[in-house]
Amino acid sequence: MNVGIDLIHFSTSDYYLGLDAFAEEKNIDVDKFYIGIGQEKMSIAPPDEDVVSLAAKAAAPILEQIDKNSITAILFATESGVDQSKSAGVFLHGLLNLSSRCRVIEFKHACYSGAAALQMATTMVRANPKEKVLVIAADIAKYDVDTSGEATQGCGAVAMLVTESPRIIAIEPGSGYHTEDVMDFWRPNQRKTALVDGKYSTKVYLHSLKQAWQHFTEETGRTFDDIQHFCYHIPFTKMAEKAHQTLAKVAKVKLSPQEFKAQTLPSQVYNRIVGNSYSASLFVGFCSLLDNLNENMANRRVSFFSYGSGCVAEFFTGLMQPGYEKVLMSASHRKQIEQRQPLTYAEYLAFYHEVDDEVENIEFERHNKGPYRLAGIKDHKRYYQTL
Ligand code: CAA
């Protein structure tokens, strides 16, 4: 039985900060960002956008195409959840008016949780083909101002419908994984922003890739040449380039510059202008590959490398399904990205500091253009609005 992603759609916020404006403000050569880390823009969430509104925006176009009462579970992956107890997925369940015959749970492990939720969903469907699982990976990446991570912020959500006989990609059984208790990126409960040992985190990422790859080859017997397209977790696109160089080296494969570009660039187009979206970032990369590769990928193998600091990593693969191109929502992805409004550095800072969801009561000014927004907090309870 084939199990995998039947439909996929991603969302991002209505605003961005260009790294040209950022570089000017900080008096840094812009090529450090354009070339050095490979980023151009960061999607910025206004105060009335959170992972729930981003997730609703990602999921709604999928639900329009199916009987939404057939969803049997929501697996919501996030590092930037909205409540210490209640799952962000239950807020989403309410906002989208889904059936009560549905289970909802939140997944957490930094940027790895999206892959964990997808793998859990495939396991559920293999056990019971009647399951239709809505997997959400949604995050707002936020670091302290004037730290090395500030230029790598961003936000986004990816919704994936996981079913049997999927129309887009069948996830293959067998994967390689690696876990190690390290402190490269973390966020203590009292903090809104992540702490990071930046350079160390890039080293642990690459070490984890080697370990997960080794395990993957032992488990599946597959080689580098069995894979046609490579998707990586993309905190910034240069990291994915370094990952692919590392993988090719470990697999003892020599790639021409053209082959290297062909294998990596299409999956980086969106991340370069959206920024990091933690748990969603790997799947934003997959959407980017689907929307920007001008070749038919039917029957080709795509690999996914997920890395969550702290750290847990996994390498797995899927097979593209014939006819997948007919169900892509590329136009919606492009429209959202193109319609974003640029912010000055001062406007970005105002959004950055205005988020005050610790207060008991607040009504947020309307910045989010919809279709879903966080309207306010009343008696410590979040409430949302459909526009
Ligand atoms: N022109 C061209 N290139 C330039 C340049 C210029 N003018 N100025 C600098 N560069 C290059 C540097 O040579 C360097 O290249 P290499 O990495 O190839 O050596 C690159 O730009 C970055 O420069 P620095 O190392 O000086 O940059 P930095 O000190 O500001 O930090 C960083 C880089 C540590 C990655 C930082 O962006 C950071 O802390 N990011 C957040 C953490 C992160 O994303 N880690 C990734 C792995 S962890 C993970 O993946 C989980 C997650 O999502 C967080």
Side-chain angles (χ1 to χ4, degrees):
M1 178 184 28
N2 273 348
V3 173
I5 302 172
D6 186 57
L7 289 171
I8 187 166
H9 181 250
F10 101 86
S11 71
T12 190
S13 63
D14 298 316
Y15 301 89
Y16 75 86
L17 177 64
L19 284 165
D20 48 355
F22 183 87
E24 199 179 326
E25 171 70 27
K26 309 275 176 183
N27 204 15
I28 296 174
D29 179 359
V30 72
D31 281 347
K32 171 170 177 180
F33 306 116
Y34 285 3
I35 299 168
I37 62 167
Q39 289 300 117
E40 272 178 48
K41 292 173 181 170
M42 311 185 263
S43 276
I44 301 294
D48 56 341
E49 183 94 85
D50 66 8
V51 289
V52 175
S53 59
L54 281 170
K57 188 161 34 164
I62 290 181
L63 300 185
E64 279 165 19
Q65 299 180 43
I66 58 165
D67 169 12
K68 66 181 184 178
N69 291 327
S70 64
I71 301 285
T72 54
I74 300 175
L75 307 186
F76 196 119
T78 186
E79 188 271 355
S80 36
V82 296
D83 193 285
Q84 295 282 36
S85 173
K86 181 170 166 174
S87 147
V90 173
F91 288 101
L92 177 72
H93 179 277
L95 195 52
L96 297 177
N97 201 17
L98 296 179
S99 160
S100 59
R101 291 199 171 167
C102 175
R103 294 143 295 169
V104 181
I105 192 160
E106 188 163 310
F107 278 59
K108 181 172 83 173
H109 184 87
C111 310
Y112 170 64
S113 59
L118 174 62
Q119 290 288 35
M120 178 67 81
T122 60
T123 306
M124 288 168 74
V125 178
R126 279 192 194 107
N128 176 6
K130 282 199 236 158
E131 296 265 12
K132 280 193 196 312
V133 184
L134 182 63
V135 171
I136 303 284
D139 267 309
I140 297 173
K142 201 165 175 183
Y143 295 90
D144 284 345
V145 170
D146 289 332
T147 62
S148 68
E150 190 187 5
T152 66
Q153 298 177 116
C155 68
V158 178
M160 295 173 270
L161 183 68
V162 176
T163 64
E164 69 153 342
S165 306
R167 285 173 284 178
I168 296 181
I169 188 168
I171 300 298
E172 296 180 291
S175 70
Y177 26 88
H178 174 74
T179 290
E180 198 174 337
D181 183 2
V182 290
M183 295 300 278
D184 60 328
F185 166 108
W186 66 106
R187 186 159 70 82
N189 280 341
Q190 74 280 7
R191 288 185 63 99
K192 293 277 170 222
T193 49
L195 296 166
V196 65
D197 187 342
K199 296 233 159 62
Y200 176 54
S201 72
T202 62
K203 289 199 176 84
V204 190
Y205 177 119
L206 296 178
H207 173 72
S208 303
L209 170 62
K210 290 186 210 162
Q211 300 302 312
W213 170 253
Q214 178 65 33
H215 187 208
F216 171 80
T217 56
E218 286 166 21
E219 284 295 305
T220 63
R222 294 196 187 105
T223 67
F224 189 97
D225 291 335
D226 293 326
I227 301 166
Q228 286 73 51
H229 303 282
F230 297 79
C231 292
Y232 294 94
H233 166 57
I234 309 182
F236 47 91
T237 63
K238 190 72 174 288
M239 190 74 239
E241 302 257 306
K242 289 185 180 184
H244 200 55
Q245 275 159 5
T246 302
L247 195 69
K249 198 168 163 198
V250 169
K252 299 192 172 58
V253 172
K254 278 219 161 23
L255 296 171
S256 68
Q258 290 79 358
E259 284 170 324
F260 188 86
K261 276 188 187 164
Q263 286 178 1
T264 54
L265 286 190
S267 64
Q268 296 175 8
V269 176
Y270 290 161
N271 302 66
R272 192 175 168 92
I273 49 180
V274 164
N276 199 353
S277 54
Y278 294 161
S279 63
S281 157
L282 171 64
F283 304 104
V284 173
F286 181 48
C287 289
S288 179
L289 172 67
L290 294 172
D291 295 352
N292 292 294
L293 187 82
N294 297 319
E295 293 165 20
N296 194 287
M297 294 163 70
N299 302 313
R300 293 190 190 169
R301 181 169 283 118
V302 179
S303 71
F304 297 86
F305 173 65
S306 173
Y307 174 73
S309 290
C311 70
V312 186
E314 183 162 351
F315 195 102
F316 59 98
T317 53
L319 283 179
M320 292 301 300
Q321 300 299 293
Y324 75 91
E325 68 282 0
K326 294 188 198 111
V327 295
L328 300 183
M329 290 184 248
S330 319
S332 167
H333 298 157
R334 293 199 183 101
K335 192 169 155 203
Q336 284 183 69
I337 289 175
E338 280 161 15
Q339 285 185 347
R340 289 176 305 170
Q341 235 175 272
L343 297 173
T344 62
Y345 187 81
E347 287 166 335
Y348 143 76
L349 266 195
F351 278 176
Y352 182 101
H353 291 298
E354 200 185 312
V355 179
D356 198 357
D357 52 6
E358 277 169 16
V359 295
E360 193 175 332
N361 290 292
I362 186 167
E363 217 173 285
F364 289 108
E365 197 184 320
R366 186 161 151 189
H367 298 288
N368 179 344
K369 296 173 186 148
Y372 303 95
R373 68 182 286 269
L374 172 66
I377 296 170
K378 192 159 189 270
D379 302 329
H380 292 291
K381 296 171 194 158
R382 299 171 95 78
Y383 62 97
Y384 293 86
Q385 196 180 18
T386 306
L387 299 167

